[in-house]
Amino acid sequence: MVDGDVVAQAGAGAVAAPGRNLPDGANADLDRAERNGMRLAQWGRTAAIGLFAVYGASFPPFPTNALFVGAAALFLLPGLWHLHSLYRGTERRWQRFFFLTLDVAALALVGALVPPDLGGEVPVIVNYQVIGIYYVFPFIAIAALALSPALVLWTAGIGVLGWVAGWAHAASQLENPLHWSDLPPTPSAAEYLAVVKSVNFAAAESRVTEVFFILVTAGILALAVKRARRVVRDRAALDRERANALAVFGQYVPSEIATRLMRDPTALAPQTREATVMFVDIAGFTHLSERLPPAELIALLNGYFERATAMVADAGGVVVGFAGDGFLAAFNAPRLLDQHAACALRAARDLQELVRNHRFGGERVRIRIGIATGPVAAGIVGGSSHQTFTVYGDTVNLAQRLESMCKAHDTYLLVAETSWSAAGRPPGLLEIGPVEVRGRDSRVRAYAAARQAAQQTAAQQAGSQPAPIPAAADGVSTGGSGL
């Protein structure tokens, strides 16, 4: 450890704006959105066919009702197969074109071949007078749910072709088809109704108008879908870039800080608040460094830091900086935390249990911890090209000083009185008396784990120097159960 005043840093460069190049996963996200849209469309199709079957079975007489139910089943089963393939992930794009073509073409055939009275006395052309081409619009909307401009245009094209072909077939069966052109220039009401209400009214001009508007509508909707695809793709790309940046950034700064910075770069503006600071260092790290090769030493540190930082996070703290073999954790900065002093003491207990019960890189490690509570300055500081999240102030320095004094007092934990009081004066900590802290004019009341504190008190009462405390079997000093 480097002695001296400590400024804990979680440094990283400013987060760059997302690039123009799309991550590979963005296309996968877009495909997923398309499949979700097709699932929604197929569920809507299934519900519509089901309602059609219920209606057909309930109202028309036999055999018309049987025809309704049979036609519904004929269309329902292939759609369920498509829905099944969508959920299994085996769906192919051609299935979307196939089913929409099937539905639109089938309805076009019904309009062209089935007379409205089902008996054949009323010409089929009446279907085109009553129903119109409106049945194509729901299928175009279904195609839009798949976020496919090509599918929208394909559906509109099939609908128009089927509609025109069916109408031409129906009109060819009329002996004397009538059109708008058969009206006189200034028709009377009787003349007008005689043409437009006739069963022979084919109205070729109306069909041209219908085709024009449906193609225009389909073109506009295809353009809207194309823009929607771009929005979905760009959002997916941005989300993946943010996730990748967070994954990389989170390796160098606390994940909570990285997340808040990605959401709002101004969210961690410097501010002062009361917090509890914990400084943790590995005892005897110099001897470990002499004995272990660098690669093994780094592996040891990585394994230890991974477990230790997770424990600090579980207790509600945030590790805001590493320095050699030590790290600094803050409780109530930047994450708001009630009872932050008690949470820091809990983290200290958990860390001691960790090193007592686990080896890292095949080695036992011992740790020393200093804890202090008071005002700290926390936030992002730095220049435009490089910024860091920092926690600094007298409280931070005191925590580091207390950690460095643990060796002299033969304990793994020293806690400032401010932390002891804020934590509710836990019985597992006993006062070792006011202690001198390097760099401070006044003494600081400090508390240690019960066993060490008791032996310190006995040594002071005997007028002698503090007696060494025997190490535990694993080489780690043991503390009281109150921690």
Side-chain angles (χ1 to χ4, degrees):
M1 287 290 301
V2 178
D3 200 7
D5 292 349
V6 176
V7 177
Q9 304 182 29
V15 180
R20 289 181 174 270
N21 296 329
L22 294 178
D24 293 337
N27 290 326
D29 291 339
L30 183 57
D31 290 341
R32 188 179 304 110
E34 291 180 4
R35 290 194 300 272
N36 290 339
M38 280 308 303
R39 279 199 290 263
L40 180 61
Q42 278 292 2
W43 276 118
R45 177 185 184 272
T46 301
I49 293 176
L51 292 175
F52 176 81
V54 171
Y55 168 81
S58 304
F59 296 101
F62 184 84
T64 304
N65 56 357
L67 291 175
F68 269 92
V69 174
L74 184 64
F75 280 90
L76 184 61
L77 293 178
L80 292 177
W81 170 64
H82 186 204
L83 195 60
H84 178 70
S85 64
L86 282 167
Y87 277 100
R88 286 179 58 88
T90 58
E91 186 248 7
R92 298 293 182 264
R93 290 185 180 273
W94 64 263
Q95 291 178 274
R96 306 175 188 179
F97 291 86
F98 171 78
F99 281 104
L100 283 171
T101 301
L102 177 66
D103 289 347
V104 174
L107 287 176
L109 286 174
V110 170
L113 301 178
V114 181
D117 63 342
L118 298 180
E121 295 182 5
V122 180
V124 179
I125 198 69
V126 175
N127 288 335
Y128 297 87
Q129 300 174 7
V130 176
I131 301 176
I133 201 172
Y134 312 116
Y135 75 92
V136 178
F137 285 101
F139 294 99
I140 296 177
I142 288 174
L145 287 175
L147 295 179
S148 173
L151 192 59
V152 170
L153 295 176
W154 172 268
T155 304
I158 292 297
V160 166
L161 288 176
W163 177 256
V164 172
W167 172 84
H169 172 74
S172 68
Q173 297 177 348
L174 300 176
E175 294 182 359
N176 183 29
L178 298 175
H179 304 282
W180 288 103
S181 59
D182 293 317
L183 287 171
T186 56
S188 64
E191 291 173 329
Y192 182 88
L193 292 176
V195 173
V196 300
K197 293 299 183 179
S198 171
V199 293
N200 292 319
F201 186 54
E205 299 86 351
S206 295
R207 306 294 85 83
V208 172
T209 303
E210 291 167 347
V211 167
F212 171 78
F213 278 106
I214 199 166
L215 291 179
V216 169
T217 301
I220 296 173
L221 187 57
L223 180 61
V225 169
K226 184 177 180 179
R227 292 175 60 86
R229 283 176 62 87
R230 185 179 297 114
V231 171
V232 172
R233 185 178 62 248
D234 291 348
R235 178 58 185 268
L238 179 61
D239 287 344
R240 286 189 173 270
E241 286 187 354
R242 288 170 62 91
N244 292 337
L246 182 59
V248 174
F249 194 31
Q251 298 178 21
Y252 303 100
V253 299
S255 59
E256 180 168 335
I257 295 174
T259 300
R260 292 176 64 178
L261 283 176
M262 294 293 289
R263 292 176 179 172
D264 180 10
T266 65
L268 294 173
Q271 57 181 294
T272 300
R273 67 170 58 170
E274 182 177 279
T276 298
V277 178
M278 180 173 71
F279 209 97
V280 185
D281 194 18
I282 295 179
F285 186 73
T286 301
H287 296 297
L288 279 176
S289 302
E290 293 175 353
R291 191 163 50 84
L292 296 178
E296 293 183 15
L297 190 65
I298 294 220
L300 180 152
L301 285 175
N302 286 339
Y304 161 67
F305 283 144
E306 183 174 2
R307 298 288 298 272
T309 55
M311 284 191 165
V312 170
D314 289 342
V318 175
V319 175
V320 295
F322 296 90
D325 58 302
F327 65 84
L328 182 75
F331 297 77
N332 203 40
R335 177 192 299 171
L336 295 177
L337 183 66
D338 294 333
Q339 304 297 323
H340 47 86
C343 291
L345 293 179
R346 169 194 159 191
R349 176 202 63 200
D350 293 343
L351 289 171
Q352 184 63 16
E353 289 295 324
L354 172 67
V355 298
R356 179 182 294 121
N357 298 323
H358 293 83
R359 291 179 180 269
F360 303 95
E363 299 286 337
R364 291 283 188 183
V365 298
R366 294 180 297 132
I367 59 173
R368 301 189 182 105
I369 304 173
I371 296 177
T373 298
V376 301
I380 294 294
V381 297
S384 58
S385 61
H386 184 83
Q387 296 182 333
T388 61
F389 179 83
T390 65
V391 177
Y392 56 93
D394 182 63
T395 302
V396 179
N397 296 332
L398 178 58
Q400 191 271 341
R401 296 286 189 244
L402 290 174
E403 179 276 318
S404 65
M405 293 167 57
C406 285
K407 182 177 181 180
H409 291 272
D410 201 8
T411 182
Y412 79 88
L413 173 66
L414 281 179
V415 180
E417 183 182 28
T418 52
S419 300
W420 177 74
S421 297
R425 302 182 177 184
L429 292 173
L430 295 179
E431 183 180 359
I432 61 173
V435 294
E436 292 185 359
V437 178
R438 185 170 61 85
R440 299 178 68 91
D441 295 333
S442 59
R443 290 173 173 257
V444 174
R445 289 187 177 275
Y447 293 76
R451 180 179 175 185
Q452 287 91 335
Q455 293 198 12
Q456 289 284 349
T457 302
Q460 292 173 354
Q461 291 176 349
S464 61
Q465 296 298 321
I469 300 175
D474 58 7
V476 181
S477 298
T478 57
S481 59
L483 266 182

